[in-house]
Amino acid sequence: MTTVEHSLPVLKTTERGRFGEAQSALREKFPARTPAVSWPATQAPRDEVVHRLAQHPFTAQNEATTRSRCRGVRYVLSWLEAQPGATWQERWTSTGAENLPKEDWLDLPRQWFTRTQGLVLRDSQLSPGLLMLICGDVIRPTSAWLLGRTSQHLGRAMASARDPEGFDLLSAQAASDKVPPAVLRIARHRISVILARNGGSISDITVGDCVDILEAQDVTHAATGDRTAFYRLLHRAGVFPPDAPSTIRAFTAGQGQLSVAEMIDRYEIACKPVRDLLVDYLCERQPALDYTSLSAVSRVLGSLFWRNLETHHPGINSLRLPAEVASAWKTRHRTKTTTTRSPDGSTVSVTSPRESARSDLATVRAFYLDLAQWAAEDPARWGPWAAPSPVTSAEANQKKHQRRVKAKMDQRTRERLPALPLLVSTSQRNRLQAAAVLAAARQAEPGTVFSVDGQTLFRPVLKSASGAKIWAQELEAPRTAARAARRDLTHEDHTAFWAWAAIEVLRHTGIRIEELCELSHHSLIQYRLPTTGELVPLLQIAPSKTDQERLILVTPELADVLSRIIMRVRDSNGIVASVAAYDPHERVWNPPMPLLFQHRIGIENRAMHPTCLRKYLGQALASAGLTDASGEPLTMQPHDFRRIFITDAVMNGMPPHIAQLVAGHRVIDTTMGYLAVYPREVIEAHRAFIARRRASRPGEEYRTPTDEEWDSFLGHFEKRKLSIGTCGRAFSTPCTHEHACLRCAMLRPDPAERPRLVEIRDNLIDRIAEAKREGWLGEVEGLETSLAGAEDKLAQMDAATARTATAVDLGMPGFTQIAGRASDT
């Protein structure tokens, strides 16, 4: 099932298949040889050509084969003599044979001989002659025509006739590198095609010649087997200069960095002034951004922002957007439409929220703000483009989104942390089991049955097997499904080992997947403690995302894993091969390094790609049978191990600022964002706080109370009930107002006792009037204070009654309504 996003405009030109500036410079540095128009061998007369090709080294050990070759040379030359041209190469080109598929070119000379001489020739009478003319450098067919024919005799004939010493050197190098015979045969054929097309010997082959052959293979689809082994053999044999790339994949289309202009031109912006502005803007920001970030900004500004505006508002040419245009764009940008295509061919379009919407809005707002600031510094250049930002600060605020992401990541970590022990034990069991089955299969002879670890397998006899892989077959499988039940034990051992290795290294180090793929033999270093002189093993992590190098202490468990990896990747001489790894983020080739995570493909050792390790991790999860809370199979990404590592480290006492240095974060807030805090931690921290507080207070406060003290405590609450409410003073504290409750702020009046309080208030009013009438002025002040307290308590009763009247009873929520709910505030 495939998913395609349709919210982006459809582009005619894509990044795939194009070359960046760095790759173009590499191709200019290693150009291919230009095929010559004429050379001495193709200018030679017929008799000289026939005589030379009848001599050593063009003769064969079999005399009959030699006669067949000489006869074929004369036939082909007779046919070519009748064609227009001054040289044999011009005559060959004029025949149009190279435009015919495969062996159809033979119809041309056959028809000519039948028409002119009445002869009926067979293919075997013509093909050997053309082969000798090619090996003798008399004619040079195109690479595409030679690859399309896939002659089985070209490699052997070219090795004996053109450059025996060069081919012997390649054979010796292939034996040293343990190249399978089938791979060597294909490589020799590709090298023979280069010699047939460009002439010369093996020492004359250039890097550009190999690149041309690689592209010709793509055109003719002649890519069976190891399509790059010939370059590896030539490079290892020392044919190329020292600065030549160690892998021909460095020249493959679609790799290499694009220039800023190429990034923007991917989206075919119609307004050239805006296109030039975006290029200039990105060029200004380029020194402060890595390639991945720069490409992401170009996508947001070039495609999601401006190209989207041009699609819906043709002719737009100003950054000063009307309110309705800006609002419509932001509405469109909040969602994306994807088309899901199922295996049966049906398609379903689904509209979903765009997760990066706020981040994209922040990028557009930064674009406008940068232009405004730069306009003040350089008005002539940036002033005409200064305009109000269509994105407000509130729309670009990502705090709420970040809190939501934090909650999701914490929940993800909590689900996967308990599953880690089972995943580790399963991967370890799979590794040991796959290694045991492979070892037993290697000891078993082809065509025999063997048993290991409770399994009974049959090792079939495969005629096409190259010896590099070991196959086995389930005995219980039906005969019709025998091929489907066949198991590649070599691949099973490979996937089980590297899944285990990746899981162990990730969980013990917390490094990123990109850093894992860049670990090399040189990453293992030793540090001697200055105090005790003890040697401490350290793992050096190369700079990746933050360009910050760091060191991680190697635990005994990690040391065991690394030692097993080194034992697996080193060759028979105990050397870890140096391989050139491609950085998919920066789109550059790193220099060859003895990487730990490498595997052999054909005759070339290649660095493992993160996608490959993710696939192996998925297989390990599937074999463990882990499920999430909904019962679906549990998924796990390499970055989950990083979050688990940081959470586990802090939970076990590592200070967060130390965890920050180990993880390689620039700020501690990032580290705390990775930390998933559990409620158990909060409870334990609170209990520890209470314990510390108790330790600092007198022990008498925490002794078991006597019966008299408990009765006194209960009696205190019995005495809190008053005629107009409840006293709120604490236990064992005296009454500050000497039981003048109307004046006390600790009295909590009861609205039900309002009539009683009204009666008391009216009585106070009458007493105040009587005291003034009788001249008892000493009592007036005290009675007025009590009256003010009564009025205040009546106001409190009225306010409590109003709140009760407007309250809505929401009921008691059920547990299912609140369980697992995450708050965004």
Side-chain angles (χ1 to χ4, degrees):
M1 182 173 292
T2 57
T3 302
V4 182
E5 181 179 342
H6 287 293
S7 56
L8 298 179
V10 178
L11 307 179
K12 296 181 180 179
T13 58
T14 60
E15 190 172 341
R16 183 176 178 86
R18 301 182 61 183
F19 303 111
E21 291 182 350
Q23 194 175 13
S24 299
L26 190 63
R27 286 173 170 260
E28 293 177 359
K29 183 178 179 181
F30 299 100
R33 288 182 290 173
T34 303
V37 177
S38 180
W39 57 94
T42 195
Q43 299 171 359
R46 173 192 173 99
D47 294 341
E48 181 179 336
V49 173
V50 172
H51 177 73
R52 183 169 67 90
L53 296 183
Q55 307 297 320
H56 180 78
F58 300 99
T59 57
Q61 295 180 355
N62 189 338
E63 186 176 350
T65 302
T66 301
R67 289 197 302 269
S68 175
R69 290 178 176 180
C70 293
R71 184 171 57 251
V73 168
R74 288 192 294 269
Y75 282 142
V76 175
L77 289 178
S78 299
W79 167 59
L80 291 178
E81 279 183 321
Q83 312 302 323
T87 64
W88 299 111
Q89 178 66 23
E90 292 179 1
R91 299 183 185 110
W92 164 257
T93 304
S94 65
T95 63
E98 294 179 348
N99 300 325
L100 299 177
K102 294 187 177 181
E103 303 300 330
D104 292 350
W105 74 273
L106 291 168
D107 294 338
L108 298 177
R110 273 202 305 263
Q111 294 173 3
W112 183 85
F113 277 105
T114 302
R115 185 176 62 254
T116 60
Q117 302 180 20
L119 297 177
V120 179
L121 300 180
R122 300 185 303 273
D123 294 352
S124 59
Q125 293 176 293
L126 295 171
S127 296
L130 181 65
L131 179 62
M132 288 298 99
L133 291 176
I134 294 174
C135 294
D137 204 19
V138 178
I139 62 174
R140 296 178 180 177
T142 61
S143 301
W145 188 80
L146 291 168
L147 290 171
R149 294 182 68 247
T150 61
S151 172
Q152 299 180 358
H153 307 287
L154 179 62
R156 293 195 298 268
M158 192 69 72
S160 61
R162 180 71 65 89
D163 188 6
E165 294 80 6
F167 278 94
D168 289 343
L169 177 63
L170 293 180
S171 298
Q173 185 63 51
S176 176
D177 293 343
K178 298 181 180 179
V179 179
V183 176
L184 177 61
R185 183 173 61 254
I186 296 174
R188 288 166 64 96
H189 178 265
R190 299 295 188 266
I191 295 172
S192 299
V193 170
I194 297 175
L195 298 181
R197 176 56 181 162
N198 298 296
S201 60
I202 289 180
S203 59
D204 299 321
I205 297 178
T206 66
V207 175
D209 295 341
C210 298
V211 176
D212 280 354
I213 291 295
L214 186 67
E215 294 178 346
Q217 289 181 157
D218 295 335
V219 174
T220 60
H221 305 288
T224 56
D226 193 335
R227 61 197 302 268
T228 63
F230 70 97
Y231 181 91
R232 175 70 175 174
L233 269 180
L234 293 171
H235 189 280
R236 293 274 293 170
V239 176
F240 302 142
D243 58 343
S246 60
T247 174
I248 198 173
R249 291 181 293 122
F251 297 90
T252 306
Q255 297 182 353
Q257 293 186 353
L258 297 178
S259 64
V260 171
E262 289 173 326
M263 290 181 184
I264 294 298
D265 290 340
R266 290 179 294 182
Y267 310 112
E268 296 184 337
I269 294 177
C271 182
K272 190 176 184 303
V274 174
R275 177 264 179 197
D276 296 338
L277 170 67
L278 294 177
V279 172
D280 293 342
Y281 173 76
L282 292 177
C283 287
E284 288 290 326
R285 294 200 58 189
Q286 187 174 13
L289 297 176
D290 55 28
Y291 181 82
T292 303
S293 301
L294 187 68
S295 180
V297 174
S298 70
R299 175 178 175 270
V300 172
L301 298 180
S303 176
L304 300 181
F305 176 58
W306 191 256
R307 188 71 176 95
N308 189 287
L309 289 174
E310 287 188 340
T311 301
H312 294 84
H313 306 279
I316 188 171
N317 58 4
S318 174
L319 295 182
R320 192 177 295 273
L321 305 180
E324 61 275 10
V325 173
S327 177
W329 169 73
K330 286 183 284 189
T331 301
R332 292 192 303 269
H333 187 69
R334 292 191 188 100
T335 60
K336 63 178 181 180
T337 302
T338 56
T339 299
T340 301
R341 184 176 294 106
S342 59
D344 59 1
S346 60
T347 58
V348 179
S349 296
V350 179
T351 301
S352 59
R354 188 186 298 274
E355 292 292 336
S356 62
R358 282 191 173 271
S359 176
D360 297 340
L361 293 179
T363 300
V364 174
R365 177 173 172 80
F367 169 63
Y368 274 85
L369 296 182
D370 287 341
L371 292 181
Q373 180 180 353
W374 296 350
E377 301 172 357
D378 190 356
R381 182 180 181 186
W382 306 106
W385 296 103
S389 172
V391 181
T392 65
S393 59
E395 292 172 330
N397 193 332
Q398 302 186 56
K399 291 184 178 180
K400 184 176 181 179
H401 174 71
Q402 290 172 353
R403 289 196 297 267
R404 185 181 296 112
V405 171
K406 165 67 174 170
K408 290 181 179 179
M409 291 299 101
D410 288 353
Q411 181 64 22
R412 183 181 179 91
T413 302
R414 295 189 187 106
E415 288 182 354
R416 283 151 181 78
L417 184 56
L420 184 59
L422 179 58
L423 177 61
V424 171
S425 60
T426 302
S427 64
Q428 170 76 347
R429 184 177 64 254
N430 292 344
R431 178 183 69 87
L432 297 177
Q433 184 178 10
V437 173
L438 179 61
R442 282 177 175 165
Q443 294 178 358
E445 293 294 332
T448 61
V449 177
F450 64 96
S451 299
V452 58
D453 198 17
Q455 304 180 53
T456 302
L457 303 174
F458 171 73
R459 183 178 178 183
V461 180
L462 303 177
K463 296 181 180 180
S464 60
S466 61
K469 291 187 176 182
I470 304 295
W471 296 83
Q473 184 174 318
E474 301 284 351
L475 290 180
E476 293 79 5
R479 186 178 300 274
T480 56
R483 187 172 184 84
R486 189 177 296 167
R487 293 167 51 184
D488 185 353
L489 300 183
T490 308
H491 183 67
E492 290 181 4
D493 174 72
H494 172 84
T495 56
F497 177 85
W498 289 113
W500 168 81
I503 292 172
E504 290 295 320
V505 175
L506 288 173
R507 79 182 185 95
H508 284 299
T509 61
I511 59 178
R512 305 177 181 90
I513 183 63
E514 296 82 6
E515 296 169 341
L516 175 77
C517 294
E518 294 177 359
L519 287 179
S520 71
H521 201 184
H522 298 161
S523 300
L524 297 171
I525 61 176
Q526 292 181 341
Y527 173 71
R528 187 178 298 275
L529 296 177
T531 54
T532 62
E534 179 184 359
L535 286 176
V536 178
L538 299 176
L539 189 64
Q540 185 178 22
I541 307 301
S544 60
K545 184 176 179 179
T546 59
D547 292 333
Q548 182 178 359
E549 188 179 60
R550 63 190 190 276
L551 297 173
I552 296 178
L553 182 65
V554 177
T555 61
E557 296 82 1
L558 179 59
D560 178 67
V561 175
L562 295 176
S563 64
R564 292 183 182 275
I565 293 175
I566 294 174
M567 291 174 61
R568 189 177 184 90
V569 300
R570 65 185 181 183
D571 56 20
S572 58
N573 298 323
I575 299 175
V576 178
S578 295
V579 297
Y582 180 72
D583 189 340
H585 299 285
E586 292 298 319
R587 302 188 67 175
V588 295
W589 283 90
N590 297 324
M593 293 286 291
L595 300 180
L596 297 183
F597 282 80
Q598 61 173 273
H599 56 160
R600 192 173 181 87
I601 299 180
I603 67 170
E604 183 181 6
N605 286 49
R606 296 185 184 180
M608 285 192 175
H609 196 275
T611 303
C612 181
L613 293 177
R614 291 189 179 96
K615 178 182 177 182
Y616 297 163
L617 176 60
Q619 294 175 356
L621 283 168
S623 64
L626 295 170
T627 58
D628 56 17
S630 62
E632 296 295 327
L634 185 69
T635 60
M636 208 164 182
Q637 295 296 328
H639 216 71
D640 291 326
F641 291 93
R642 183 170 173 82
R643 298 180 181 276
I644 291 174
F645 173 82
I646 296 175
T647 300
D648 185 66
V650 176
M651 285 175 56
N652 285 277
M654 178 180 289
H657 67 283
I658 301 299
Q660 171 196 350
L661 299 178
V662 173
H665 291 147
R666 290 180 178 175
V667 294
I668 197 171
D669 291 343
T670 306
T671 307
M672 298 307 295
Y674 278 52
L675 176 62
V677 179
Y678 287 76
R680 177 176 56 84
E681 297 176 8
V682 179
I683 296 172
E684 291 179 354
H686 191 196
R687 293 181 63 186
F689 166 74
I690 295 176
R692 290 193 300 270
R693 186 181 64 179
R694 287 180 174 178
S696 62
R697 298 188 63 165
E700 284 292 324
E701 297 184 5
Y702 299 98
R703 63 180 176 83
T704 302
T706 62
D707 294 339
E708 293 77 9
E709 290 173 335
W710 184 250
D711 293 340
S712 175
F713 176 74
L714 297 178
H716 163 77
F717 291 97
E718 295 175 355
K719 297 176 181 178
R720 289 174 58 183
K721 183 62 179 175
L722 304 174
S723 61
I724 57 176
T726 305
C727 178
R729 63 188 176 93
F731 170 72
S732 190
T733 56
C735 178
T736 57
H737 295 97
E738 297 179 355
H739 304 285
C741 297
L742 286 179
R743 305 178 181 182
C744 183
M746 298 303 296
L747 174 64
R748 293 293 179 265
D750 184 2
E753 302 297 335
R754 191 178 191 281
R756 186 184 300 277
L757 185 58
V758 170
E759 182 180 350
I760 294 175
R761 182 198 61 182
D762 294 342
N763 180 265
L764 287 172
I765 294 174
D766 293 341
R767 291 179 61 187
I768 291 173
E770 180 185 7
K772 289 181 178 180
R773 185 175 59 250
E774 298 294 337
W776 304 331
L777 300 180
E779 291 187 8
V780 171
E781 184 177 358
L783 292 173
E784 289 180 344
T785 302
S786 298
L787 178 62
E791 295 288 352
D792 180 65
K793 296 298 184 290
L794 283 173
Q796 293 181 27
M797 288 182 177
D798 294 338
T801 303
R803 287 195 302 268
T804 304
T806 58
V808 178
D809 185 11
L810 298 179
M812 180 63 68
F815 180 75
T816 57
Q817 296 175 299
I818 63 175
R821 181 179 300 173
S823 175
D824 293 334
T825 58

